Amino acid sequence: MRSKLLGRAVVTVVTAAAAIGGTVLAAAPAEAASASECLKVLTEPQRWGYDETMTTKGKLTFYTGWPSKASTCAGVSVSLGISRTNTRDFRNQNARRIVDPRRIDHFASTFTFGVDGYGDWMIRQIAVKDRSGKLAVKTFTSATTPRVLRLRFASTIAANPRGTLVPKAGRLAVQGNLKAWHYTGRQVNVQNQPVVVQVRKGGNDYVTKATATTNRYGNFATSIPTAGLKGYSVRVAYYSKIPIVANQWYYLGTVS
């Protein structure tokens, strides 16, 4: 999910020492970049993405793709500070350099929240220290931050069938269950919530073919005609009407 940038907030100055204190340098390759060069890359708009998980407690991970030139941020340490969009609740944490199994390098920093952590957060400050010890720091308002995002509690959705879909009599039956959580961590009553069945082919947008309504247990059932849908991907999706509960979708498979 992505969140629109909100109105300008009053800047609260955070010292560079607090921003980078205790940062451990990543293993440095033969060639290392300067702090200012790396900071320039890491402060680009929309450079940082985020992952969201939230039930009774939540973790929010900010991450960035490794720059196209690996030397741009080679051998540096990075510290990420976040706050509410009104600049309150500032917190700072060292970012980790991670190499996943596909050998994609990126920086990531994970913050943990309690049941009151839902709502809007922004990247407040980025600090970079290079191998020579030079420090480069940039602090943001909600109008200049590389990312504003909304932490919401999770919903889960599951449905059948899954895998290669072989429709019977020209229709595909879909049934499943929806769960969602309130900001206190308790499960929400999801009765009368709309769930949609959507299809798409290739990289096109999903198109809704049917809508189902959940009962008091979160169960739902519906069907869609399959004429002309050979090769189409099918999913069920929940577009939350509860502001602090996240949307969710579940991939069912491809019509054979």
Side-chain angles (χ1 to χ4, degrees):
M1 283 159 288
R2 298 292 184 244
S3 179
K4 295 181 180 179
L5 297 182
L6 304 180
R8 180 178 296 273
V10 178
V11 176
T12 301
V13 176
V14 182
T15 65
I20 204 70
T23 301
V24 178
L25 290 176
E31 181 182 357
S34 71
S36 59
E37 289 174 339
C38 179
L39 183 65
K40 186 180 297 184
V41 172
L42 296 183
T43 55
E44 293 174 353
Q46 309 302 310
R47 167 63 66 174
W48 293 82
Y50 73 99
D51 291 326
E52 171 192 46
T53 59
M54 197 75 172
T55 51
T56 56
K57 291 184 178 180
K59 291 185 177 180
L60 189 64
T61 298
F62 293 78
Y63 60 89
T64 181
W66 192 252
S68 56
K69 294 182 179 179
S71 61
T72 308
C73 285
V76 304
S77 57
V78 175
S79 178
L80 186 69
I82 66 172
S83 74
R84 296 286 189 175
T85 51
N86 61 5
T87 73
R88 295 180 181 176
D89 299 332
F90 177 84
R91 56 185 72 187
N92 179 69
Q93 190 163 295
N94 299 331
R96 311 177 309 280
R97 181 185 172 187
I98 300 173
V99 180
D100 75 9
R102 294 170 297 173
R103 309 297 297 176
I104 299 174
D105 290 352
H106 64 281
F107 289 113
S109 189
T110 300
F111 297 84
T112 301
F113 301 84
V115 296
D116 59 348
Y118 63 91
D120 293 334
W121 292 85
M122 71 174 182
I123 291 180
R124 183 82 175 83
Q125 186 181 75
I126 300 174
V128 180
K129 183 188 287 184
D130 61 27
R131 294 177 63 189
S132 69
K134 291 182 178 179
L135 181 65
V137 182
K138 189 167 184 179
T139 303
F140 308 93
T141 69
S142 58
T144 62
T145 179
R147 176 67 68 192
V148 173
L149 48 108
R150 179 159 294 162
L151 178 61
R152 301 197 289 180
F153 282 79
S155 59
T156 61
I157 191 168
N160 289 313
R162 185 180 181 184
T164 301
L165 310 182
V166 182
K168 294 181 179 179
R171 297 193 70 85
L172 176 69
V174 177
Q175 59 184 5
N177 179 263
L178 171 70
K179 291 183 175 66
W181 285 265
H182 193 264
Y183 69 90
T184 59
R186 65 177 173 80
Q187 195 167 321
V188 175
N189 181 344
V190 290
Q191 185 176 7
N192 297 324
Q193 293 291 304
V195 174
V196 296
V197 181
Q198 299 178 316
V199 301
R200 76 170 180 182
K201 193 168 187 178
N204 297 322
D205 293 336
Y206 275 97
V207 176
T208 297
K209 288 292 185 179
T211 301
T213 303
T214 56
N215 64 18
R216 62 177 177 165
Y217 304 108
N219 298 325
F220 59 88
T222 188
S223 64
I224 60 172
T226 55
L229 294 184
K230 183 176 181 180
Y232 278 70
S233 300
V234 184
R235 75 175 186 181
V236 293
Y238 169 58
Y239 294 99
S240 175
K241 293 185 176 181
I242 307 169
I244 56 174
V245 173
N247 301 329
Q248 189 57 269
W249 61 271
Y250 185 86
Y251 177 69
L252 292 175
T254 302
V255 178
S256 66

